Every structure is written in C-alpha cells, then in structure tokens.
Amino acid sequence: MHFLLLLLAAIVLLFKWIYTHFRTRYRFWKEHNVPHLEPRFPVGNAGDTLKSTIHFAHIMDNLYRQLKKYGDYAGIYFFRDPVLVVLSPEFAKTVLVKDFNYFMDRGVYSNEKDDPLSANLFFMEGHRWRKLRAKLTPTFTTGKLKAMFHTILAVGEHFDAFLNDYTAKKDEVEIKDLLARFTTDIIGSCAFGIDCNSLENPNSKFREMGKRMINFPKLKALKIFFAMMFRKQARWLGIRFNDEDVSEFFFGVVRETIRYREENGVQRKDFMQLLIELKNKGYMEGDSEGLVEEVGNGRLEKLTFEEIAAQAFVFFFAGFETSATTMTFALHLLASNQEAQEQGRKCVTEVLDRHDGKFSYEALLEMNYIDCIIQETLRIYPPVATIHRMTTKPYKLPNGSVLPEGIGVVIPNLAFHRDPELFPEPMQFRPERFFEAEKEKRHNFSHLPFGEGPRVCIGMRFGLLQTRMGIAMLLKNFHFRLCSKSDVPLKTDPVNLIYGPAGDVWLGIEKIQ
C-alpha cells in the first residue's frame, strides 16, 4: 500500500513537471512578440496530426487560413515546440534565398550511424551538405541531362509499346501504379544502369522497395513522428528512417553495379557513372570549376561507397514517386478537362512536326503547353506540399526579436498554391495561368513545388524532363477520359510521405488511330 502511494505521488509529480515544462515553452511566441495561436496542452496547435484522416499539408493549410491576417509570419506550437509559419511569398523569399544562411537546414530526422542511407543530400545539414551539394550540382547540367536523355527515351518507347498492347484488350487503366512502374524503370536505368522491367513485372524488387519507402505502416509512422520531435533521443534509441532490408537491398545493388563496371571497364552516361567518378577522382569529367575550387583549397575529397549508395538511394526515392504522382494527377485533370487535353495533344504534334516526328531533348523543351499542364498540376497537387527549414544560428525577425538556433520554420506551399488571392478560383485547372504574361502578374515565390534558393530540389530538371516525356508520349498516342471507376475529385492519401492520391486511379483509355 505504501509503495502504491509513493508510485502515485511520483506519477503526479512527473505529470506536474511535464505540464509546467509545456506551459513554460508555450510562452515562447509571446516573449518574442510574434502573433500566434493559443496552444492546448499537450498538442499545441497540432492536435489534428494525431488523426489518420488528414494530411499534414491540409493541417498547415487550415492554420495558414487562421494566421494569414497577421502578415508575413506567425507562430504555432507543434506539441511542445515553437514553429514559425511563413505566411507570404515575400517572406518565403527571405527564408529561402535572402537570409538562406540562417535557414540552411531542413531540420528533418536522420540517423547516419544506424541508417547510413540517411547520409544523403536531402537529410544532410551544415557544411557537409554544402560541400556535397557543390559536388553533385554538375550532375544535372544540360549536358549531363542530354546524355541521359536517350536512356529515358528508350524506357518511354517501351512504355508506349506496352500501352499499345494493353489498349488492344482493355479500355480502362489503373494509371497510378502503371506510371510508378514507368518511372521506376527510368530511375533504375539512369541511377543504377539496371533494367528493372517493372512494366512487365509489377512485383519486381525495385518496385517493391519503392512502395516500402513511401507507404509506412502505422507503427513505423509513429516512430518517425516521435523522431522528428525528439531527434537526439531518437538517435540514442537507434530509430531508423529506412528498414534494414531496404538498406541491404540498395547497398547490394550499388556494390554490385560498381564492381561490375570497374572490373569490366563498363561506362554508361547515367547518374551512377557520375557518382563513380566522384568516388575514384573526387570530381566529374568536365567539372573544371569544382576541381579548381577544391584543389585551390588544398583538398580534393572523394565520395565514400556509403555516400554513393545514399545519393543513389535518394535519387531513386525522390525521382520515381514524385514524377509518377504528378503524371497521375495531370492525366486525371486532363481527363476531366478535355479541352486542355486536346490543347496539350496539339502542342505535342505541332512540335514533333518540326522535329521529323521524333522526340528529342530540344523538342521536349519546345512543348510549352505541356510545361503549363505540369506546372498547373504541381500547383494544385504539389508532391512536396510543405517546405521545412530550421534556424541554424540566431536570427533577427523584422519585429526586432531574435529567434534562437534550432527553431522550426514551415512554408505551407500547398496553402500558397490554393490561396484565391494568389490564384483566383484555385481549384479550377487552368494551364494558361503559367503563360509568361500571367506569371508576371504574381509574386514568383507564390508557386513553390520544388522549393527555391540554394536548397531547391537538385533533381528538378531531371524530374520535369521525365514527366514531360511521359505526358507528351501519352497524349500523342492515347486519349484519356473519366470512367465509371474514376473518383471525382481525387482523394489524397493522408499518411503518405508524398502528397499523392489515395487508392487506385482509374481512367478510360483508347489508342489514337
């Protein structure tokens, strides 16, 4: 009985300490004279994150609508942690570009010791990120993309032939998984030089691993959620972002690819070859600027095997799902807007007529209306729907208050994209919004599907290239329409890391004769 009383007293004291600790934290924004929403113990302003029916981007959209009246920024509490919410495109420009050195890191959880694949460009922070970014930037120059184009085209032509056979037997298609298999084959070929053959074999190992990386079971989602809030404690507990078998698969693929190429003198014009050059020489062929800079500093650092595997992994992870998701949404929108679909098809045929009917890197870049379709799709459905940063050193706000190091910052880009003051009738699909004359009428940081500034998505140009190729080929040869299985509007998956459609996405399809 005495023990139970002591235990009860300890629990009461612990709860009292936790409550006092939270209430102390909840004075942060008031002390910094920043407008904010009143928090509720213990969730702060993030209670909806405990629900499994609402995506985090929609939670931030709701908060944005409540906070927008305060001007450029306002404060919220994510459970116990203060978070600054960016409320205007101009202040987004300040965070992402003008004062980037104060907001260099994303502040996302990684654990390089237990999970070496997390030592990639997306997760990396500080000086290590800056050095690696400089090394990898030449990977996506025009010259390198042109060299990879024929690999992308070969997969695209295989995809076209596959759909030709498919439409001879069926007039409805589940487009989401099919496009994910298409982009898996592109990334597998460009990143690893491997024919994944996901189109013919939906259960290929690469496709299976792609699904595992995106769709977390509930227990793992809770662990990552905990790790994002308590990064030091999570690292001490050894919490991983990637499962061990996923890591083993990618390490094995990269190890075997490097071994085969080096033993047999095989060279391909792909991402893996560029990484192998960084491993063996510390620079890429043709990157004289980076070479001079590193030699001038007295050090020419080469990539380790683990660093190569981590970059190949994030290229695969970021490349296949975001592009597949964008194409899925685009085709559904075009099936719902036949006039825009016909305009897109006309754009493709007119450009190909000027290029002897052949797809080329230059021809794709001339397909301006296809680009407008993609940008308008990314506006309504950005795969990365919130942009995260963290103060890396004390930062003086416009009101004179100084934020300490380690304060989270969120730019709710989905909310920007759907703000009727920035984009009138935001849920209407109008590719014409991205004609040059229309773009000049609005702030250039109101549309942020890839982020901006020094930490803008490094693979943006590659992603747009494969997305253009996919949509252009599909519109050239196939007509899409809504069918009895089509959901209108599409529902989004509330627990997926990527802002993507929930469940299957069915469309009617027919070959254009």
Side-chain angles (χ1 to χ4, degrees):
M1 184 67 178
H2 182 65
F3 172 76
L4 289 175
L5 287 172
L6 285 174
L7 180 61
L8 181 61
I11 292 171
V12 169
L13 285 172
L14 177 62
F15 182 82
K16 188 175 180 180
W17 179 86
I18 292 172
Y19 181 79
T20 304
H21 172 70
F22 271 66
R23 296 313 302 177
T24 301
R25 298 276 289 187
Y26 288 164
R27 291 200 291 266
F28 182 88
W29 290 124
K30 188 173 183 179
E31 291 171 353
H32 285 79
N33 197 29
V34 171
H36 59 280
L37 296 178
E38 284 301 315
R40 289 187 300 112
F41 173 80
V43 296
N45 308 111
D48 284 344
T49 56
L50 299 176
K51 300 176 183 177
S52 59
T53 56
I54 181 168
H55 195 281
F56 182 71
H58 288 294
I59 295 171
M60 290 310 304
D61 186 30
N62 292 335
L63 290 169
Y64 170 82
R65 293 169 194 272
Q66 296 175 57
L67 294 166
K68 190 183 169 190
K69 62 188 176 186
Y70 294 122
D72 286 337
Y73 57 86
I76 62 169
Y77 293 93
F78 197 77
F79 291 82
R80 69 181 190 123
D81 293 336
V83 173
L84 191 74
V85 182
V86 175
L87 301 173
S88 71
E90 185 58 35
F91 196 61
K93 184 176 182 179
T94 297
V95 169
L96 296 174
V97 179
K98 291 180 181 175
D99 292 337
F100 171 77
N101 287 335
Y102 293 89
F103 303 97
M104 189 188 305
D105 297 342
R106 287 197 168 97
V108 295
Y109 175 73
S110 64
N111 181 0
E112 187 177 342
K113 175 176 171 289
D114 297 296
D115 181 15
L117 287 181
S118 66
N120 61 64
L121 199 64
F122 184 85
F123 291 112
M124 211 170 266
E125 298 182 340
H127 182 60
R128 286 186 68 206
W129 166 80
R130 197 183 284 277
K131 282 171 54 183
L132 185 61
R133 174 83 185 208
K135 277 185 175 293
L136 293 178
T137 293
T139 307
F140 298 104
T141 60
T142 298
K144 299 290 195 299
L145 288 176
K146 280 186 176 181
M148 291 185 209
F149 177 77
H150 296 292
T151 302
I152 299 171
L153 180 61
V155 178
E157 289 172 341
H158 180 61
F159 184 42
D160 184 54
F162 176 87
L163 270 182
N164 268 326
D165 293 340
Y166 181 94
T167 53
K169 305 166 192 169
K170 300 178 183 178
D171 63 356
E172 293 180 351
V173 61
E174 199 290 289
I175 201 72
K176 184 174 81 167
D177 183 62
L178 191 64
L179 288 169
R181 285 150 57 191
F182 166 58
T183 54
T184 295
D185 284 355
I186 289 179
I187 300 294
S189 191
C190 288
F192 301 97
I194 291 173
D195 181 6
C196 302
N197 201 24
S198 299
L199 286 169
E200 272 80 13
N201 179 16
N203 299 314
S204 72
K205 197 69 174 174
F206 266 91
R207 181 71 191 115
E208 178 193 335
M209 291 299 162
K211 290 178 181 176
R212 291 271 302 281
M213 285 186 281
I214 297 297
N215 300 306
F216 287 168
K218 286 185 179 178
L219 180 59
K220 183 175 179 181
L222 284 172
K223 285 165 64 177
I224 297 297
F225 182 69
F226 169 83
M228 293 293 284
M229 287 196 294
F230 304 100
R231 299 204 292 170
K232 288 181 181 176
Q233 294 86 341
R235 289 191 184 108
W236 182 77
L237 291 169
I239 292 176
R240 306 165 55 102
F241 188 88
N242 303 292
D243 296 332
E244 285 190 47
D245 59 334
V246 173
S247 292
E248 288 170 7
F249 171 76
F250 277 98
F251 275 121
V253 168
V254 173
R255 187 178 292 109
E256 180 59 25
T257 301
I258 294 174
R259 184 201 64 76
Y260 177 79
R261 293 192 187 190
E262 292 186 340
E263 288 183 2
N264 295 279
V266 173
Q267 292 204 358
R268 284 172 53 105
K269 293 179 178 180
D270 59 14
F271 184 62
M272 181 58 69
Q273 193 63 42
L274 301 175
L275 292 177
I276 291 172
E277 289 177 12
L278 289 175
K279 177 181 79 74
N280 293 337
K281 298 183 292 187
Y283 63 94
M284 296 178 194
E285 290 294 338
D287 180 27
S288 57
E289 183 180 327
L291 177 61
V292 168
E293 183 180 335
E294 288 217 37
V295 171
N297 291 336
R299 297 185 68 186
L300 186 62
E301 294 185 18
K302 301 175 182 179
L303 288 191
T304 65
F305 166 74
E306 288 77 12
E307 287 172 330
I308 284 183
Q311 308 330 307
F313 164 78
V314 80
F315 182 53
F316 179 78
F317 171 72
F320 91 88
E321 183 71 10
T322 52
S323 294
T325 296
T326 300
M327 283 190 278
T328 299
F329 279 129
L331 289 178
H332 188 277
L333 287 165
L334 291 169
S336 306
N337 297 268
Q338 291 291 323
E339 189 175 330
Q341 184 177 162
E342 288 305 318
Q343 184 73 13
R345 187 170 292 113
K346 181 183 176 185
C347 168
V348 173
T349 56
E350 287 179 350
V351 170
L352 289 180
D353 284 346
R354 298 197 295 269
H355 289 265
D356 299 322
K358 296 177 181 177
F359 281 99
S360 65
Y361 181 86
E362 290 75 16
L364 282 181
L365 293 189
E366 287 180 29
M367 296 179 185
N368 294 326
Y369 195 77
I370 297 301
D371 185 58
C372 292
I373 287 171
I374 294 168
Q375 297 301 333
E376 176 70 345
T377 301
L378 289 168
R379 183 191 66 79
I380 301 174
Y381 299 111
V384 178
T386 52
I387 298 169
H388 297 260
R389 294 289 184 269
M390 179 176 280
T391 53
T392 51
K393 50 187 173 182
Y395 178 73
K396 189 174 183 179
L397 288 168
N399 70 359
S401 293
V402 177
L403 295 181
E405 179 183 339
I407 299 299
V409 179
V410 176
I411 300 171
N413 52 318
L414 176 87
F416 284 8
H417 295 181
R418 296 186 178 185
D419 185 340
E421 292 185 20
L422 299 173
F423 296 94
E425 297 182 287
M427 296 312 293
Q428 294 294 315
F429 177 68
R430 292 208 294 266
E432 294 75 19
R433 295 181 204 266
F434 288 89
F435 288 174
E436 285 303 320
E438 290 298 312
K439 286 162 61 176
E440 288 173 4
K441 295 177 184 177
R442 60 180 177 263
H443 198 290
N444 59 351
F445 277 68
S446 58
H447 183 243
L448 295 168
F450 296 98
E452 259 299 348
R455 202 142 191 170
V456 67
C457 172
I458 193 172
M460 174 181 70
R461 295 177 68 203
F462 179 91
L464 288 173
L465 183 64
Q466 69 172 344
T467 303
R468 276 196 195 200
M469 167 65 76
I471 291 177
M473 274 194 159
L474 289 168
L475 290 188
K476 174 180 179 285
N477 294 320
F478 303 95
H479 178 265
F480 296 90
R481 55 178 169 73
L482 298 177
C483 66
S484 58
K485 297 179 185 176
S486 301
D487 289 330
V488 181
L490 280 180
K491 298 182 179 71
T492 48
D493 187 339
V495 293
N496 200 317
L497 282 179
I498 300 295
Y499 187 75
D504 295 340
V505 179
W506 284 91
L507 294 175
I509 183 173
E510 61 182 294
K511 170 77 174 166
I512 295 174
Q513 301 303 324

